[in-house]
Amino acid sequence: EATAVAARDALAAAQALHKSAVAEHQRALQALERSADLSPGADCPLCGQALGDAFGRVQAHRAQELEDAGRRSRQAAEQEAREATAAREALVALDVVSRTVDEARRTRSAWEQAQSRRSVVRDRLDAALADALEAEPSLPARWQGRRPGLGNLTAAMEEVRASHAAARRARDEASRLQGRLERRPQAEKALQQARDRAAAAGSVTGSLRAKVKALGYEPAALAAAAARAEEAGRAAEATDAAARAARMEAARAAARDEAQAQRLAEAQAQHAQLGELESATVHLGRTAELLNGFRNSVVASVGPRLAVQAAELFAELTDNEYDRLEVDTETYGLKISDAGLAYDLERFSGSEVDLANLALRVAISEHVRFQSGGTVGLLVLDEVFGPLDEERKARMLMALERLRGRFRQVLVVTHSTDIKDQLPNAVEVVKRPGRRATARVVDPFC
């Protein structure tokens, strides 16, 4: 995967370099076409002076630029083709390795499942064998110290189960008979006591009947009333017990219903929350992957192009006084290479720093134009002359004059009064009372 990613990054860089070379070739071709319309007696579009003997050098210079740009474009196309081939080979290799790894993972998973099932079956067999040996000591003699097979173990277990069932029935019957025999003395004693109480009760009953007969009561009516009272008492007790049981059961049912309803509501809320969190997690993960891929793609394609364009423009603005302008494709930091060594901008004067920043900004604007498919016709610079001395201001004006070939219009905003006299066209903003202002066109020849 790392090899495939590196191959894609290299391909992206080669594509960006190829696009930059094609754009450079187009600019050189346009410059050559513009110079084709000139003649030795025509005026220079930059300085306004007659070309004269410089006409041939201009034509040769433009032709050489076109040839160099064409050569770089072809080299970039060849490099892009090589990187594309390497990227395809890396993707094919990655696909083969991915399929091999997936197959190996499936094989290992099947093996682990088989091992797990085998372990479970072995444990069950050992447990069953231990139970059988404990229940039937004669089994080891028949099996001669060897673990029985599945058929022998099944037959032995059925035999042990039948034997255990018969032994349990015999044990239960013996226990029942033994209990009866143990309770016989107590039963005989209780029987004798019951007989004594019956005899005493008989004598008491006889005396009571005599007394009742002497009182003149009606036994039948008294017995009937007592029976009815006893029956009514039993009915009342049964009704009260049933009512209490019904109230308790209703209370328990209500509590169960309330608890079940609360648990159901909590479970539904948690389920809904889990669904939302799962959906949000999927979307956030996909968004993070897309943003990361977009950042890598933009950095890989924009960085090299900006570095090449800014270096070329800086060389043009400074008359190739330094080796080159280096742009870090990750942080977009600037360094100036002088005599083979790269230095930070702090080492150089303000004019070089301003020109380097101007080159990067112009490169960015041209890249925006390239990406949008249109043209950037207006360049606006705000307060670029303020911290500069007279010599650096002159160099900046020369740089702006050279940028006229890239932009149809260059607009400079400045508070420096001596700059407006050196510009071909100037608009001055004049402050008026009452927080008002007016603008007027300044004639440089007045």
Side-chain angles (χ1 to χ4, degrees):
E1 288 177 354
T3 302
V5 170
R8 286 198 297 268
D9 293 342
L11 176 59
Q15 290 174 346
L17 185 60
H18 183 205
K19 291 179 181 179
S20 177
V22 170
E24 180 185 0
H25 183 266
Q26 291 294 330
R27 288 196 299 271
L29 181 60
Q30 293 174 2
L32 181 61
E33 291 175 353
R34 287 195 300 269
S35 63
D37 298 334
L38 301 176
S39 63
D43 294 336
C44 177
L46 298 180
C47 63
Q49 297 179 0
L51 290 174
D53 297 337
F55 175 73
R57 292 194 300 273
V58 171
Q59 293 285 65
H61 178 68
R62 296 303 182 187
Q64 183 63 36
E65 284 184 347
L66 181 61
E67 182 179 356
D68 294 342
R71 183 179 66 258
R72 287 193 292 271
S73 178
R74 291 190 297 273
Q75 292 175 353
E78 294 173 357
Q79 183 179 358
E80 181 181 358
R82 291 193 298 271
E83 297 298 343
T85 301
R88 286 194 298 271
E89 293 176 352
L91 290 177
V92 171
L94 176 61
D95 183 63
V96 172
V97 173
S98 299
R99 288 198 299 269
T100 303
V101 171
D102 292 340
E103 182 64 26
R105 287 174 177 169
R106 288 193 294 271
T107 304
R108 180 177 179 83
S109 177
W111 176 80
E112 291 176 349
Q113 293 177 2
Q115 287 294 103
S116 178
R117 291 195 298 270
R118 179 181 179 186
S119 177
V120 172
V121 171
R122 183 186 295 110
D123 294 341
R124 291 181 178 177
L125 177 60
D126 292 340
L129 179 60
D131 293 341
L133 292 175
E134 182 180 356
E136 186 61 38
S138 61
L139 288 177
R142 294 201 302 273
W143 293 338
Q144 298 179 359
R146 293 181 291 106
R147 177 181 291 178
L150 182 59
N152 295 336
L153 181 61
T154 302
M157 292 299 295
E158 292 297 332
E159 181 181 350
V160 170
R161 290 193 183 96
S163 177
H164 280 186
R168 282 196 297 272
R169 290 193 297 271
R171 185 182 65 239
D172 294 341
E173 183 65 20
S175 298
R176 186 175 62 81
L177 295 177
Q178 184 177 3
R180 289 184 177 182
L181 291 176
E182 291 177 352
R183 290 193 302 272
R184 181 174 181 179
Q186 289 82 1
E188 291 177 350
K189 183 177 180 180
L191 178 60
Q192 185 60 39
Q193 292 176 353
R195 288 174 179 174
D196 295 341
R197 288 195 297 272
S203 61
V204 172
T205 301
S207 61
L208 291 176
R209 286 178 177 174
K211 292 180 180 180
V212 170
K213 188 175 182 180
L215 293 174
Y217 287 155
E218 294 182 1
L222 180 60
R228 287 194 300 272
E230 185 178 357
E231 183 178 0
R234 287 196 299 269
E237 291 177 357
T239 302
D240 188 26
R244 287 196 301 270
R247 285 194 297 271
M248 295 177 61
E249 184 62 23
R252 288 194 294 269
R256 288 195 299 271
D257 291 343
E258 184 179 358
Q260 291 293 339
Q262 184 177 0
R263 285 196 293 271
L264 177 60
E266 294 175 353
Q268 291 175 347
Q270 293 177 357
H271 182 72
Q273 185 178 5
L274 287 175
E276 295 175 358
L277 291 176
E278 181 180 3
S279 178
T281 301
V282 172
H283 288 299
L284 288 176
R286 182 55 180 166
T287 302
E289 292 176 359
L290 292 176
L291 289 177
N292 189 28
F294 175 75
R295 176 187 176 278
N296 294 335
S297 176
V298 170
V299 171
S301 61
V302 174
R305 175 184 293 274
L306 291 180
V308 173
Q309 293 178 346
E312 292 176 354
L313 182 57
F314 182 76
E316 182 179 349
L317 296 177
T318 58
D319 292 330
N320 295 308
E321 183 178 356
Y322 302 97
D323 294 346
R324 62 180 285 106
L325 176 66
E326 298 181 2
V327 181
D328 190 345
T329 57
E330 293 291 335
T331 63
Y332 297 100
L334 297 178
K335 290 185 178 181
I336 298 177
S337 179
D338 188 13
L341 297 177
Y343 301 96
D344 293 331
L345 296 183
E346 291 79 4
R347 182 178 181 271
F348 300 91
S349 63
S351 60
E352 283 79 3
V353 174
D354 292 338
L355 291 176
N357 291 324
L358 179 61
L360 178 60
R361 293 171 184 173
V362 172
I364 291 174
S365 66
E366 290 187 344
H367 180 76
V368 172
R369 171 193 57 83
F370 178 80
Q371 291 293 336
S372 62
T375 59
V376 179
L378 175 63
L379 174 64
V380 180
L381 301 174
D382 186 12
E383 294 298 336
V384 295
F385 296 99
L388 303 180
D389 54 18
E390 296 300 324
E391 180 182 359
R392 293 170 181 170
K393 288 180 180 179
R395 294 188 65 181
M396 182 59 73
L397 285 172
M398 294 177 61
L400 296 179
E401 186 66 22
R402 293 176 180 177
L403 289 177
R404 292 177 59 185
R406 296 174 179 262
F407 301 94
R408 293 193 298 271
Q409 186 176 11
V410 179
L411 178 61
V412 179
V413 180
T414 179
H415 286 82
S416 181
T417 57
D418 56 341
I419 293 298
K420 64 182 180 180
D421 298 331
Q422 304 180 45
L423 298 176
N425 298 287
V427 177
E428 183 179 9
V429 178
V430 180
K431 180 174 175 53
R432 286 186 174 182
R435 300 177 64 183
R436 294 183 302 167
T438 184
R440 65 182 184 89
V441 177
V442 178
D443 189 356
F445 300 104
C446 296

